[in-house]
Amino acid sequence: MDEEFYIGGKNAVVEALKANSFIDKLYIAVGAKGQIIDEIIKLAREKGIPVQLVSRDKLDEFYAGKHQGVVAKTPPYVYKEVDDILAIAKNKGEHPFVIILDGIQDPNNLGSVLRTADACGAHGVIIPKNRAVGITPGVIKASAGAIQYVSVARVTNITRTLKELKDVGLWIIGADMDGAINYCDADFKVPVGLVIGSEGYGISRLVKENCDILVKIPMVGKINSLNASIASAILMYEVLRQRNF
């Protein structure tokens, strides 16, 4: 990963400031206005973060996506450990609720998963180091600030991690179009690790073999699969429903 790491977008930057994430410097486009821009500048000054006005062309050099007139320079994302995620659940007195992503490659999908994970109270997300997207500026932007509140661990071997999660009592539930039961019939009130497969390929064979159960989302249309972030959202909200209603 590059030494210089930039995040762009009003929501991503303001949430980073609110969460006390380390920010080296803020760049604001000349002429940028609005309530959120004012809030960003105010928060930065309160925290002693330098703010520099630059041209939009300069912001384009820093950040390739839609920066909305604001870019923050930060250190690269620091991944958590799986044990850190389990500790969050323990400290809250809750059964672990962990999302395991098996090879998600689209930054927008990962960002969307993080947003839903935050909304549904997941304790963390686990991603693989290889053949999958990591926490990039694009993911941070797509998460709309959720990355500041959802712990992400990056592991070398998802299969081994599933076995370790089982050893500490998690029930591993995978989403698969050929699953044995409908997702709403599964018990998500137990400690759970929810496995979501990659775009187009689903859960890999070894990972699938290490799931305790596979669940399916009923579909009556012409297509036979859902976008990974949509499928994960349906399942995460089922966990939330069962645990809170």
Side-chain angles (χ1 to χ4, degrees), residues 20 44 53 110:
N20 292 318
L53 296 178
L110 179 52

Side-chain angles (χ1 to χ4, degrees), residues 128-145:
K129 288 183 178 178
N130 301 315
R131 295 184 294 278
V133 67
I135 302 302
T136 65
V139 170
I140 293 173
K141 172 74 181 302
S143 80

Side-chain angles (χ1 to χ4, degrees), residues 21 53 86 92 109 145 149 167 181 209 217 220 227 241:
S21 293
L53 296 178
L86 297 176
K92 289 184 174 181
N109 272 341
Y149 308 104
D167 287 343
I181 64 172
E209 289 174 358
I217 299 172
V220 297
N227 175 283
R241 184 191 72 80

